[in-house]
Amino acid sequence: MAVEKILVVDDEPMIRKVMEEWLRAKRYSVHSAGDLATAERMLKADAFDLVFLDRKLPDGEGTDLLEMMHKLTNKPMVVIMTGLATLESAVAGLRFGAFDYLMKPFSKAEVELLVKRADTFNHVVRVNRLLTAALSDTSDVIGQSGVFKRLREVISKVAPTEATVLIQGENGTGKELVARSIYHESARRDAPFIKVNCAALPENLIESEFFGHEKGAFTGATERREGRFELAHGGTLLLDEVSEIPPHLQAKLLRVLQEREFERVGGNKTIKVDVRVLATTNRDILKSVEKGDFREDLYYRLNVFPIHVPALRERREDIVLLANNFLHKFARKHGISVTGFSDEALAALQAHPWPGNVRELQNTIERAVILSDADSPVEAGALGLNGAPPAPAVRQTAERPAPRKSAEPATEVQPLHELEKQAILRALEHTGGNRTKAAELLGISIRTLRNKLKEYAVEVAEPAEV
């Protein structure tokens, strides 16, 4: 997938001609040069993925050009071509950063095998740059409630298949963790897992993120770039918050899902990919389909196997289990040896409606751990639930407010949308109307926050600049 443009540097015209024919037959873009000076000009003018470089050239050593290539922004992979008499110097070229060497005379099969190896290696390098940090989060979905056990059963059934999965649920329920569980239990577990957050990308860049772009495709496209579909080749692609994809891009996404092929922005070469697609959304996409905001055919293409991730209020038996798991995690992270939760704190945790779900619970526990004294339990006041600001343990010990107030369960159940609206308003009030900080506090994207404000017809003035 990664190697497309190749440069052959050799002073023998017949070798250049034969290699050009072999490689073009495999649909590679091939250029050639007979000396170092010509090759250097070509490398500075254009970006190549792979260079076949003769060890001895009329105007110098191939290693001289190899050193020059190390200074390029986009360093191509290099294969040293050499005869038996100069094998030792060819191996020395590997110390200068060459990918491999090729002994003359060589066969077509040897060249093709070497290009394939370079292709695979280059792809792995590019993928690792993107996903190493993303895969560092090894958190798993945790729970023991009946509804959670049914969710685990569904994950176990669909994971080994190749089915496209649409994971639906409210913000903070753990949809991405469900997607990662599907990936880790699938046959593609050793292949790339690439995530793209559709809600966080500007509309003018999302197509390039999906499909990549060619050099010069638009202002700022100074080099060719592979998109997420291409990087996920052979593995799994997670389209996080897929309902946020703008309408003009939905038709192109549908084509990729149907045909498994696309063109980069500014390019005309059709690229085929083998990718399993998982998607998440916090919206009722059928309502978006009815409004005309989301294509019906794309919805059905994504919704091959739907999974609903329950809200935390639907699995209250898991609240204490999750809270204790987060407590131990953040106690280790921050070096604070808290001893658990007080009875009042446990009551407050179980009484809270958790409109922000597991993410809200996680953030609440982390703040509470930081505010608590070492070798003491987390008190209810440190949780800051029911609209009360979290209180440091020292202040709570001195003043000793009645903890039962925050632990009293609500006498009437409020609709979900009202709880969500109140959570948003509290976050905006806490941040002085700063939408970006409020979105971070709620654990959602700024685009999602804007959509929610519009949905609830809430007008909030941005804070004035000082």
Side-chain angles (χ1 to χ4, degrees):
M1 295 297 299
V3 173
E4 294 181 14
K5 188 172 287 189
I6 299 174
L7 176 63
V8 179
V9 185
D10 197 294
D11 60 341
E12 295 185 40
M14 185 54 68
I15 289 181
R16 297 200 304 270
K17 181 181 178 182
V18 170
M19 290 191 70
E20 286 181 25
E21 290 177 355
W22 288 349
L23 294 168
R24 283 175 181 153
K26 289 293 182 179
R27 304 182 73 107
Y28 291 105
S29 173
V30 188
H31 300 261
S32 65
D35 54 60
L36 290 178
T38 304
E40 185 171 349
R41 285 197 302 271
M42 296 175 73
L43 285 162
K44 288 181 177 178
D46 204 349
F48 291 89
D49 303 307
L50 181 63
V51 177
F52 283 94
L53 177 61
D54 193 15
R55 182 68 177 82
K56 293 283 187 180
L57 290 158
D59 52 348
E61 297 283 326
T63 50
D64 295 336
L65 187 66
L66 196 56
E67 290 181 28
M68 184 280 293
M69 282 187 273
H70 281 306
K71 301 174 184 177
L72 296 174
T73 303
N74 297 306
K75 303 178 186 66
M77 302 177 74
V78 179
V79 174
I80 298 290
M81 299 188 293
T82 184
L84 183 60
T86 55
L87 176 58
E88 185 177 341
S89 59
V91 174
L94 299 180
R95 292 196 291 270
F96 283 94
F99 171 68
D100 209 336
Y101 64 89
L102 192 60
M103 291 291 297
K104 294 180 180 180
F106 44 77
S107 66
K108 179 182 179 181
E110 286 178 294
V111 171
E112 291 178 353
L113 179 61
L114 209 154
V115 173
K116 185 176 180 180
R117 286 183 55 236
D119 206 17
T120 302
F121 181 81
N122 202 1
H123 180 66
V124 169
V125 169
R126 291 171 185 266
V127 168
N128 283 342
R129 288 174 186 165
L130 182 67
L131 62 79
T132 299
L135 286 180
S136 62
D137 182 6
T138 56
S139 301
D140 194 11
V141 280
I142 297 172
Q144 58 188 10
S145 61
V147 67
F148 176 82
K149 289 177 181 177
R150 288 192 291 275
L151 174 63
R152 284 283 350 157
E153 290 172 3
V154 170
I155 291 172
S156 298
K157 285 184 178 294
V158 74
T161 73
E162 290 293 306
T164 300
V165 182
L166 180 61
I167 306 166
Q168 302 178 78
E170 297 173 14
N171 282 324
T173 51
K175 299 185 291 296
E176 184 179 339
L177 289 179
V178 170
R180 290 183 184 276
S181 293
I182 293 172
Y183 162 72
H184 284 298
E185 294 178 30
S186 75
R188 296 176 181 249
R189 67 179 68 88
D190 296 322
F193 177 86
I194 304 294
K195 172 191 170 184
V196 52
N197 189 330
C198 305
L201 294 171
E203 288 191 16
N204 61 327
L205 293 180
I206 191 168
E207 183 175 1
S208 174
E209 284 292 326
F210 273 13
F211 309 126
H213 62 255
E214 297 291 346
K215 180 179 179 181
F218 50 83
T219 303
T222 56
E223 60 186 62
R224 191 187 73 218
R225 182 182 178 189
E226 296 171 357
R228 302 300 176 93
F229 271 94
E230 206 167 342
L231 290 171
H233 179 66
T236 303
L237 178 67
L238 171 61
L239 301 177
D240 196 22
E241 300 303 346
V242 69
S243 53
E244 301 298 324
I245 293 177
H248 74 272
L249 191 58
Q250 292 176 19
K252 294 184 179 181
L253 177 59
L254 177 63
R255 179 200 168 196
V256 180
L257 296 177
Q258 290 176 331
E259 310 295 336
R260 291 299 194 265
E261 64 180 32
F262 61 90
E263 290 81 37
R264 296 195 191 106
V265 177
N268 52 24
K269 178 183 177 181
T270 299
I271 299 169
K272 292 186 175 292
V273 288
D274 170 26
V275 175
R276 182 186 189 181
V277 174
L278 309 177
T280 72
T281 179
N282 61 0
R283 289 191 185 188
D284 184 341
I285 299 192
L286 274 178
K287 289 185 178 179
S288 297
V289 170
E290 292 170 2
K291 293 178 182 178
D293 295 333
F294 202 84
R295 291 179 63 110
E296 185 176 15
D297 47 4
L298 177 57
Y299 166 72
Y300 287 116
R301 178 61 63 175
L302 290 168
N303 198 42
V304 174
F305 193 98
I307 290 181
H308 171 71
V309 183
L312 190 53
R313 64 183 174 280
E314 297 175 50
R315 54 183 188 117
R316 288 194 165 274
E317 304 98 304
D318 295 329
I319 291 175
V320 173
L321 177 68
L322 286 164
N324 279 311
N325 179 70
F326 292 140
L327 183 78
H328 296 143
K329 172 183 175 181
F330 294 122
R332 288 194 303 270
K333 176 182 177 181
H334 299 295
I336 303 173
S337 56
V338 291
T339 60
F341 295 98
S342 69
D343 292 342
E344 292 84 358
L346 287 175
L349 288 170
Q350 292 171 315
H352 189 65
W354 300 111
N357 293 293
V358 179
R359 186 183 294 126
E360 182 190 359
L361 174 63
Q362 176 177 283
N363 294 342
T364 297
I365 301 304
E366 182 169 17
R367 288 194 302 268
V369 167
I370 293 171
L371 291 170
S372 297
D373 287 335
D375 302 318
S376 300
V378 171
E379 299 289 348
L383 297 172
L385 299 178
N386 289 346
V394 289
R395 188 196 317 160
Q396 184 178 333
T397 302
E399 299 174 10
R400 203 66 187 174
R404 290 289 177 185
K405 186 176 181 181
S406 63
E408 291 177 0
T411 55
E412 60 179 73
V413 177
Q414 292 180 291
L416 171 61
H417 66 84
E418 186 61 33
L419 292 172
E420 187 175 62
K421 179 179 177 181
Q422 290 176 11
I424 290 172
L425 290 174
R426 284 201 302 270
L428 287 165
E429 182 180 359
H430 182 74
T431 60
N434 187 309
R435 298 186 185 189
T436 302
K437 291 182 179 179
E440 292 175 359
L441 191 64
L442 292 165
I444 60 178
S445 70
I446 184 65
R447 185 186 295 181
T448 299
L449 178 59
R450 285 197 299 266
N451 290 336
K452 292 295 181 182
L453 291 173
K454 183 178 179 182
E455 179 182 344
Y456 296 137
V458 175
E459 295 289 340
V460 179
E462 290 281 7
E465 294 187 1
V466 186

